[in-house]
Amino acid sequence: SGLVHVKNPHLDSMEEDVLYHLDLGTKTHNLPAMFGDIKFVCVGGSPNRMRAFAQFMHKELGLAGNGEDLADICAGTDRYAMYRAGPVLSISHGMGIPSISIMLHELIKLLHHAKCRDVTIIRIGTSGGLGIEAGSVVITDTAVDSSFKPRFEQVVLDDVVVRSTELDKDLMEELLACSKEIPDFPTLIGHTMCTYDFYEGQGRLDGALCSFSSEKKLEYLKRAYDAGVRNIEMESTAFAALCGLCGLKGESSHTP
């Protein structure tokens, strides 16, 4: 049917669903009227970047009015920022798996309550490149963990639940085909490695803690490259898992 799924039987018995971190709710807002025609959702870490992206889309779509005046739909909270340009929703998710996970839970419920259909969601942002030219765009085929495995491990109560992290292959190929029209940005398909930390987790030598040598770091990064990893960031496994489970056509693209 193209609808966004939620897999939570408890929601049906709730009098009101408050999307707390988005400052929205099923009683306080008419979500179908506000968001029912959304077809694309683009998410990224920085509120300022997502505002700039929404302004860019406003101009590209030839929408009426001044894109400089786009209002933050989530202005009542300081957790996330959300902007709309026609059928495109642009939302910040902060840094790391916990932050994007909270936002995605509420975003998916928002799209469900709004009765959106055939929604495509794309994570855009910067990342650390691995053996590729700086400024390249990496389109993720599979998000992998720090052991180069395509999985997202979520602790639910005291159980470790393992979820798939494959992304939509048709959307991946469609984005790659679109990239041919923009020769200024070298574009490739590769695995994206998701870590829980910016410093030790990504092999950096300049954190407050470092227990490994530069030689050990390079050996690890070479193994990652040989496993198909072309960039490193901190959200892709959670993004892929949640989108896949809830029927969202999702893809992740990054610029190292």
Side-chain angles (χ1 to χ4, degrees):
S1 65
L3 290 170
V4 178
H5 307 299
V6 291
K7 298 189 174 183
N8 181 357
H10 302 288
L11 292 180
D12 292 336
S13 62
M14 293 172 54
E15 185 178 345
E16 178 182 9
D17 190 3
V18 178
L19 311 178
Y20 177 77
H21 301 88
L22 300 181
D23 193 38
L24 296 167
T26 53
K27 274 195 169 182
T28 54
H29 298 79
N30 186 339
L31 298 180
M34 293 174 67
F35 302 103
D37 57 346
I38 289 294
K39 292 298 182 184
F40 299 93
V41 180
C42 292
V43 304
S46 162
N48 287 337
R49 285 182 192 164
M50 299 321 292
R51 181 175 186 272
F53 176 77
Q55 291 170 338
F56 171 78
M57 289 307 307
H58 189 278
K59 181 178 180 181
E60 287 293 302
L61 293 171
L63 300 175
N66 186 354
E68 296 295 320
D69 298 331
L70 287 178
D72 179 4
I73 299 169
C74 299
T77 176
D78 60 358
R79 298 298 183 185
Y80 304 105
M82 178 189 296
Y83 302 93
R84 175 171 181 164
V88 180
L89 208 56
S90 177
I91 313 174
S92 69
H93 58 61
M95 291 181 67
I97 285 174
S99 186
I100 194 173
S101 177
I102 294 167
M103 187 279 289
L104 284 174
H105 273 276
E106 297 187 13
L107 168 65
I108 289 166
K109 293 197 297 174
L110 166 64
L111 298 173
H112 171 76
H113 291 313
K115 297 179 170 55
C116 296
R117 290 181 180 270
D118 303 317
V119 177
T120 296
I121 180 169
I122 301 174
R123 189 184 110 68
I124 56 178
T126 57
S127 65
L130 196 57
I132 59 177
E133 181 182 349
S136 301
V137 175
V138 178
I139 300 172
T140 306
D141 55 0
T142 302
V144 300
D145 64 14
S146 296
S147 299
F148 324 135
K149 290 182 169 55
R151 64 188 180 189
F152 172 59
E153 294 186 346
Q154 173 69 55
V155 178
V156 181
L157 303 183
D158 58 350
D159 291 325
V160 178
V161 178
V162 180
R163 294 168 174 166
S164 171
T165 56
E166 288 197 13
L167 290 155
D168 190 280
K169 302 301 182 188
D170 292 337
L171 179 56
M172 177 186 70
E173 294 295 343
E174 189 176 351
L175 290 173
L176 184 64
C178 290
S179 73
K180 308 300 183 187
E181 303 173 13
I182 315 174
D184 297 340
F185 299 98
T187 304
L188 64 146
I189 291 174
H191 295 353
T192 295
M193 184 168 76
C194 180
T195 69
Y196 286 92
D197 166 61
F198 184 82
Y199 287 99
E200 291 179 288
Q202 297 189 14
R204 285 185 166 83
L205 304 175
D206 58 343
L209 301 173
C210 185
S211 59
F212 47 83
S213 66
S214 58
E215 291 79 14
K216 188 72 173 175
K217 165 193 172 174
L218 292 174
E219 184 269 335
Y220 173 73
L221 293 179
K222 183 179 185 303
R223 284 195 289 120
Y225 183 88
D226 291 343
V229 173
R230 294 298 177 267
N231 66 320
I232 305 172
E233 47 82 90
M234 297 170 59
E235 295 88 15
S236 57
T237 53
F239 173 84
L242 278 165
C243 288
L245 285 169
C246 295
L248 276 168
K249 188 176 181 181
E251 185 51 73
S252 185
S253 62
H254 311 82
T255 304

